[in-house]
Amino acid sequence: MISLKELKPNETGVIKSIGGSRPIRRRLMDMGITPGAQIIMRKVAPLGDPIEINIRGYELSIRKAEADQITVEK
């Protein structure tokens, strides 16, 4: 298992867990990032932050620090 920020563009994974503080974890879960959901890494900004992902049929941009808190399985 790896963190979400380690996925390369167009790679997919399944979310296994979400770490971080309670407010951050709650915010990510409110955006649809929940354990068991399939996630696709779309693209990474030129300077590395933010990253764009596809989850549950919509595009979402999150910070790399937030992506580091999300554990995925390829």
Side-chain angles (χ1 to χ4, degrees):
M1 289 200 274
I2 59 172
S3 73
L4 176 59
K5 76 175 190 176
E6 296 174 49
L7 283 180
K8 305 279 188 265
N10 296 318
E11 284 187 334
T12 63
V14 176
I15 298 173
K16 292 299 176 184
S17 66
I18 302 169
S21 66
R22 184 174 287 255
I24 292 172
R25 188 170 47 241
R26 185 74 206 156
R27 187 164 123 347
L28 292 172
M29 291 179 82
D30 287 345
M31 290 190 286
I33 301 172
T34 56
Q38 184 174 5
I39 195 163
I40 304 167
M41 173 69 80
R42 287 293 180 204
K43 49 186 154 173
V44 179
L47 297 176
D49 207 24
I51 62 172
E52 186 176 307
I53 58 173
N54 181 293
I55 187 163
R56 301 183 189 276
Y58 69 95
E59 304 296 322
L60 179 67
S61 293
I62 60 173
R63 295 181 187 106
K64 259 194 165 172
E66 294 168 340
D68 194 34
Q69 303 296 320
I70 302 168
T71 305
V72 297
E73 182 177 7
K74 281 187 171 182

